[in-house]
Amino acid sequence: MRDVSLGFIATSQEILDQARELARRMGQKLVLVLSGLEEALAPGHRMLDEEGVEVIISRRGTAHMLRAHLSIPVVSLPDSSMNMLKTIRDASKLSTRLLCTFFHKSQPDLSLFEEILGVEILPVTYHDTQSLEQALIEAKTKGYKVVVGGGVTKRLAKRHGLHSVLLQMPDETIVAAIEDARNIALSRREEVELNERYRTILDAVSDGILAVDKTGLVTTINRAARQVLKIHASEAGDCDIAKHHASSAVMEVVRTGRPVVNKLESIGKSQYIVNSVPVLAGEEIVGGVSTFHEASNLMKAENAVRRALTRGLRAKYRLEDYCHRSKAVADIIHKVRIYAACDSSVLITGETGTGKEIIAHGIHLASKRKKGPFVSINCSALPDQLLESELFGYEEGSFTGSRRGGKVGLFELAHGGTIFLDEIGSTPMNVQTHLLRVLQEKEVMRLGGDTVIPVNTRVVAATNRSLSEEVREGRLREDLYFRLNVLPVTLPPLRDRPEDVPPLFKRLVSRVEARYGHEHLEVPKAFVNRLCGLPWPGNVRQLEHFIERLVVLCVDGFNAGVFDELYEELVAYPPPAMGTPSRREPSHGAPPAPEADVLTREQVERTLAAMGNSKSRAAQNLGVSRTTLWRRMRQWGLLHNRSNGI
């Protein structure tokens, strides 16, 4: 049994002792006070403030006064008719003319008692001690000598020379009152705990929340709303919302019964987004509820969510990481730093392996967006629909296989930062149209969605193709080209800047050595200078692959023979881009595998047919990646004519 603190105020010592004994048997502690009527108010306040009493038990008149002045429940001890009959019977032994006192309007019908007991009863009512004493004085002048009542009546009767008979209280009545008081205390605790829980929850919400009745009086309000509306906690439960916020949408809702959603309201010097709904009891509007959030905080919350989603999307390279010694590249880097300071689109062109990605990363880290996300995607590596959904996102159910809940697109993820669109020349026409809208309107609409989402994203694009040629051939929209080519950057191939080979060689050797854990490889300067005269069609990437083979083969130190062998291999067997045919051996009886740049439509169709339309096997047989094969098939319109072989 949970302990509760109960008070018991009695007007007679007899009932007080009786209650003490009954409470002891029940295992319930009572705070006992001998007092009555208005004199009981002071000890009642002490019980509440000092003793922590949760419920007080008392007789009817005293209970009535306590309820009017205390904030805790008061249980009244009832006077039963049987108890009254027994007391009047005892009093009739002293006199047949009796005076019975009753508090306020609690007077019962005594005619049946008079008939049964053969007595004359004068009932009198009182409101306080003074009116009770006056009633006794008047009754005495009328010849009444015996009074029936409670403890206060007994005390006053003795003062004025009257006999008194105390109304007794049966044990079961006191026990029932104690049990009722205990249940009330426990229920009140639960109610207080529940209200405190709700209050804590409401106060923990950053949004302002308030509820009003149909007259506009505030019935519920949390801390955030009080702070915004400047309502003190002491007046929060009984104030008119119109005095603090005359244009509040909540009263509009109370009047019309129609919800108000996302209304912008001015409160003080700030702007708030307000949502209001009516409170209904059946079909009757009995009030309204409003929630409001400061608009600036909504923007901060949106940015926090975006930062959480883009965690890990960071640029890795700085402009300083673009290794060079030539003046031509130094001039380009200087121009790129100027470009980085603004937000216009940048188009980086250059052959494969010239370092376009490093420049894109460097632009981001040199810009005012450097603390924002850096999102990169290779536009040639994904099928059309997948590329579109990756860039712009999609809503749930927008296509078969879509993720539950939809997906945030890369433009949204790049909000406040930079998106790098590599191989932009491979973008299909439907994606180009969507991309152009994003560049023009600075907003994106997800696939399957009907809401535009503003995005603040800088675009850096890169290509190894001639985009002007793509425009002439109708594979690239001219308006998109001009949107992308605001700030052009053209990276020269390695063969046009031979003085950059030695510093690149030194840096790449260190990088490869660190990857394999090899000792430092010291290559004589004369050997490095020999590399400066090569055409390097694969640019820095080809140089890196050469260095990797050299470091692996010279694990015990530099070997001039190994270097010469690898050098001769570069000279004697250049890639097909330089005009020398590939020396791959044919496999499975198929024709020799061409390089990606010299694939023909007839070769692809013939190989696909021989491989049972399997793209993976056909790509392996042709000596190209599956992505390259897919890109060529899309270029020639072969994708829709073939099954999806693996």
Side-chain angles (χ1 to χ4, degrees):
M1 181 184 297
R2 295 171 64 184
D3 292 335
V4 295
S5 180
L6 304 180
F8 195 101
I9 298 178
T11 56
S12 68
Q13 188 63 48
E14 294 92 331
I15 294 180
L16 208 64
D17 294 339
Q18 182 184 2
R20 179 185 289 110
E21 177 59 22
L22 292 173
R24 185 190 64 78
R25 296 176 192 174
M26 297 172 67
Q28 174 64 55
K29 294 182 179 180
L30 293 179
V31 178
L32 299 165
V33 171
L34 179 62
S35 187
L37 297 181
E38 63 268 23
E39 294 178 359
L41 295 180
H45 282 291
R46 284 196 296 273
M47 283 184 173
L48 173 63
D49 299 334
E50 300 175 14
E51 303 287 347
V53 166
E54 299 170 75
V55 182
I56 295 177
I57 305 168
S58 187
R59 291 292 291 270
R60 183 169 293 170
T62 304
H64 179 84
M65 291 190 172
L66 290 173
R67 286 194 195 100
H69 294 85
L70 298 182
S71 60
I72 59 175
V74 179
V75 174
S76 179
L77 289 165
D79 290 325
S80 67
S81 297
M82 184 58 67
N83 184 45
M84 177 71 71
L85 179 61
K86 290 179 180 179
T87 305
I88 292 176
R89 183 198 61 186
D90 294 341
S92 65
K93 296 175 183 179
L94 300 176
S95 173
T96 57
R97 297 182 72 230
L98 303 175
L99 176 68
C100 289
T101 60
F102 300 96
F103 181 78
H104 205 32
K105 297 179 181 180
S106 59
Q107 174 184 330
D109 183 6
L110 301 176
S111 58
L112 183 60
F113 294 170
E114 291 178 318
E115 182 181 344
I116 293 173
L117 299 175
V119 295
E120 175 192 341
I121 302 175
L122 175 63
V124 297
T125 59
Y126 63 92
H127 305 284
D128 51 23
T129 303
Q130 183 179 355
S131 60
L132 174 58
E133 186 171 15
Q134 185 63 36
L136 294 180
I137 293 172
E138 292 178 1
K140 182 178 180 180
T141 61
K142 295 177 182 179
Y144 288 91
K145 298 180 179 180
V146 179
V147 181
V148 176
V152 176
T153 299
K154 180 180 179 181
R155 176 168 57 83
L156 294 175
K158 183 178 180 181
R159 179 186 299 176
H160 294 284
L162 297 173
H163 294 287
S164 63
V165 179
L166 184 67
L167 273 170
Q168 299 299 317
M169 191 63 59
D171 287 353
E172 59 269 22
T173 299
I174 297 177
V175 169
I178 293 175
E179 290 178 346
D180 287 346
R182 184 159 56 198
N183 290 334
I184 290 172
L186 292 174
S187 297
R188 191 165 181 265
R189 278 189 186 180
E190 293 176 359
E191 182 180 357
V192 169
E193 291 174 2
L194 184 61
N195 289 337
E196 183 63 23
R197 186 178 299 115
Y198 286 149
R199 187 191 66 78
T200 302
I201 292 172
L202 288 175
D203 284 346
V205 176
S206 59
D207 286 3
I209 302 174
L210 69 87
V212 300
D213 63 16
K214 58 185 178 182
T215 67
L217 290 180
V218 175
T219 58
T220 304
I221 186 168
N222 69 344
R223 180 185 293 115
R226 292 199 306 271
Q227 291 174 346
V228 171
L229 298 174
K230 294 181 171 49
I231 298 176
H232 193 272
S234 60
E235 60 173 335
D238 189 27
C239 66
D240 189 344
I241 186 61
K243 294 180 180 179
H244 296 273
H245 185 31
S247 61
S248 175
V250 72
M251 292 312 298
E252 177 185 343
V253 167
V254 172
R255 286 190 299 271
T256 65
R258 293 190 297 270
V260 174
V261 180
N262 293 334
K263 180 181 179 183
L264 188 64
E265 290 188 5
S266 297
I267 304 177
K269 297 181 179 180
S270 301
Q271 298 290 321
Y272 291 84
I273 304 298
V274 180
N275 294 282
S276 302
V277 295
V279 177
L280 302 175
E283 296 184 356
E284 180 186 1
I285 300 174
V286 297
V289 176
S290 272
T291 63
F292 45 93
H293 198 105
E294 191 169 359
S296 61
N297 288 338
L298 285 175
M299 297 173 65
K300 292 177 183 177
E302 178 191 6
N303 291 334
V305 172
R306 290 183 187 271
R307 284 195 298 271
L309 290 173
T310 58
R311 189 173 293 120
L313 300 177
R314 294 288 180 263
K316 297 182 294 184
Y317 308 113
R318 301 171 302 162
L319 292 175
E320 291 81 357
D321 294 326
Y322 196 93
C323 186
H324 68 282
R325 183 184 292 167
S326 63
K327 183 179 184 302
V329 174
D331 292 341
I332 292 173
I333 297 298
H334 175 71
K335 181 170 65 173
V336 166
R337 290 190 186 278
I338 297 174
Y339 287 174
C342 65
D343 269 349
S344 300
S345 299
V346 178
L347 178 61
I348 308 171
T349 57
E351 295 180 5
T352 299
T354 51
K356 296 185 292 295
E357 184 174 1
I358 295 178
I359 295 297
H361 283 243
I363 289 173
H364 174 75
L365 290 180
S367 73
K368 59 185 178 182
R369 296 174 175 266
K370 60 184 178 183
K371 293 184 179 180
F374 179 83
V375 180
S376 175
I377 183 172
N378 189 318
C379 298
S380 68
L382 298 174
D384 296 5
Q385 186 181 32
L386 184 55
L387 175 61
E388 191 172 15
S389 65
E390 286 292 315
L391 286 173
F392 312 117
Y394 57 82
E395 298 293 347
E396 180 177 348
S398 57
F399 56 86
T400 303
S402 60
R403 180 188 301 175
R404 178 174 295 180
K407 183 178 181 181
V408 177
L410 296 183
F411 268 95
E412 289 181 66
L413 289 178
H415 180 76
T418 304
I419 187 169
F420 175 45
L421 305 176
D422 199 7
E423 300 292 350
I424 189 66
S426 301
T427 309
M429 193 61 68
N430 62 313
V431 178
Q432 292 180 30
T433 303
H434 202 159
L435 181 59
L436 182 63
R437 176 177 177 81
V438 176
L439 292 173
Q440 289 175 336
E441 307 298 333
K442 299 296 183 182
E443 59 188 25
V444 65
M445 182 182 292
R446 296 181 183 178
L447 299 183
D450 56 5
T451 303
V452 293
I453 303 168
V455 289
N456 175 20
T457 305
R458 183 184 195 176
V459 174
V460 176
T463 182
N464 59 3
R465 302 183 183 184
S466 169
L467 291 191
S468 58
E469 180 65 25
E470 296 292 311
V471 171
R472 283 193 296 272
E473 295 294 331
R475 291 188 292 267
L476 183 71
R477 292 180 59 125
E478 186 177 31
D479 46 4
L480 177 60
Y481 171 67
F482 289 125
R483 280 284 179 180
L484 294 172
N485 194 33
V486 178
L487 302 176
V489 177
T490 302
L491 299 180
L494 191 56
R495 60 182 174 274
D496 291 345
R497 49 188 180 102
E499 62 268 41
D500 288 344
V501 172
L504 277 169
F505 187 92
K506 182 178 180 181
R507 177 176 294 187
L508 292 173
V509 166
S510 299
R511 183 184 300 172
V512 174
E513 288 171 344
R515 186 190 311 160
Y516 290 105
H518 289 184
E519 295 293 333
H520 177 61
L521 179 65
E522 190 66 42
V523 180
K525 185 176 180 180
F527 286 88
V528 177
N529 289 338
R530 289 171 60 187
L531 299 175
C532 296
L534 293 177
W536 297 109
N539 293 292
V540 179
R541 190 171 294 125
Q542 184 185 12
L543 175 61
E544 183 176 13
H545 294 165
F546 168 81
I547 291 171
E548 185 169 358
R549 294 197 298 275
L550 181 65
V551 170
V552 170
L553 294 174
C554 296
V555 64
D556 296 325
F558 177 72
N559 186 315
V562 170
F563 181 93
D564 290 340
E565 181 180 346
L566 294 176
Y567 180 83
E568 290 301 324
E569 181 180 325
L570 284 176
V571 175
Y573 303 102
M578 292 186 66
T580 305
S582 170
R583 297 194 177 189
R584 280 196 191 88
E585 295 296 329
S587 60
H588 304 293
E595 291 297 327
D597 291 341
V598 294
L599 281 176
T600 66
R601 177 169 181 160
E602 292 74 16
Q603 285 176 311
V604 171
E605 289 181 322
R606 186 169 60 251
T607 305
L608 281 169
M611 297 295 107
N613 207 37
S614 169
K615 296 185 183 67
S616 297
R617 293 169 58 196
Q620 182 178 6
N621 190 272
L622 289 167
V624 297
S625 69
R626 192 175 186 277
T627 300
T628 299
L629 176 61
W630 176 90
R631 189 166 64 246
R632 292 293 185 267
M633 290 178 68
R634 183 183 67 180
Q635 178 182 347
W636 295 323
L638 298 178
L639 286 176
H640 301 298
N641 301 326
R642 303 281 172 174
S643 62
N644 293 324
I646 297 175

